[in-house]
Amino acid sequence: AQAKSKEQPKPHLMRTTDRGQTFQSCGEFSPVGTNSAQALPKWRDGTLYWLVDGGLITTTDKGETWKKIGEIKDAQYGPIFGKDARQLFVLTKSGPVESTDGGVNWSPPLAPPKEMKGIGGLSWLEYDPQHDTLYLMKMGSDLYRLPRAK
């Protein structure tokens, strides 16, 4: 992806098919995240998911075309996959949100524990499908198990 800047307020996703010799634009999206681990796209069942400013996008044709599947405000990290491809979690500035319809609609955010003192750029989210448990932490904090409605 191109870097977002004053000169380039709407950066493009870039794609190469010749080992980096040339690049072609394949969408006007800006990935989220303040470090490389947060901005990485994630694979699931032949689909690549990527958090961008304002939402979640997917591709099934090796990045040639991208489709925005849902709006997410202030996304920080994710997506994290749940028990199946329709259950997704994303960490936002307000807390984790969950989708049970493949990323089209999202729950209200779960509040992070007060002891965590907010969510920052080095926050992390993970899901344990065997125990249906969501975990949250940030660099220097304890690991928290988040209560979820059943």
Side-chain angles (χ1 to χ4, degrees):
Q2 294 174 318
K4 193 174 195 176
S5 67
K6 191 185 293 183
E7 296 78 29
Q8 178 110 16
K10 291 196 174 234
H12 292 236
L13 296 181
M14 304 300 287
R15 181 173 186 263
T16 183
T17 57
D18 57 11
R19 299 181 183 167
Q21 298 296 314
T22 60
F23 289 86
Q24 300 83 36
S25 173
C26 60
E28 289 188 23
F29 299 104
S30 180
V32 303
T34 56
N35 68 50
S36 59
Q38 289 174 302
L40 291 176
K42 301 202 176 156
W43 283 103
R44 173 80 186 233
D45 299 332
T47 300
L48 187 63
Y49 295 77
W50 208 350
L51 275 180
V52 295
D53 286 343
L56 182 65
I57 61 174
T58 62
T59 183
T60 56
D61 59 9
K62 300 179 182 176
E64 191 170 337
T65 60
W66 292 88
K67 174 178 140 185
K68 189 171 187 179
I69 59 171
E71 299 282 330
I72 304 172
K73 185 180 178 191
D74 298 326
Q76 297 283 298
Y77 180 81
I80 302 300
F81 299 105
K83 291 182 179 184
D84 58 41
R86 301 201 43 82
Q87 185 182 32
L88 301 165
F89 299 93
V90 167
L91 183 58
T92 71
K93 290 180 182 177
S94 301
V97 294
E98 179 180 1
S99 175
T100 56
D101 62 7
V104 176
N105 297 293
W106 296 89
S107 69
L110 288 170
K114 287 182 176 52
E115 303 84 9
M116 197 170 157
K117 298 179 183 169
I119 294 171
L122 296 175
S123 297
W124 171 84
L125 182 71
E126 192 55 70
Y127 177 71
D128 172 4
Q130 184 176 357
H131 298 100
D132 191 26
T133 303
L134 194 60
Y135 294 96
L136 176 66
M137 71 177 293
K138 70 179 179 181
M139 186 176 278
S141 82
D142 290 333
L143 176 65
Y144 296 96
R145 182 178 21 218
L146 299 178
R148 298 183 43 240
K150 298 289 178 185

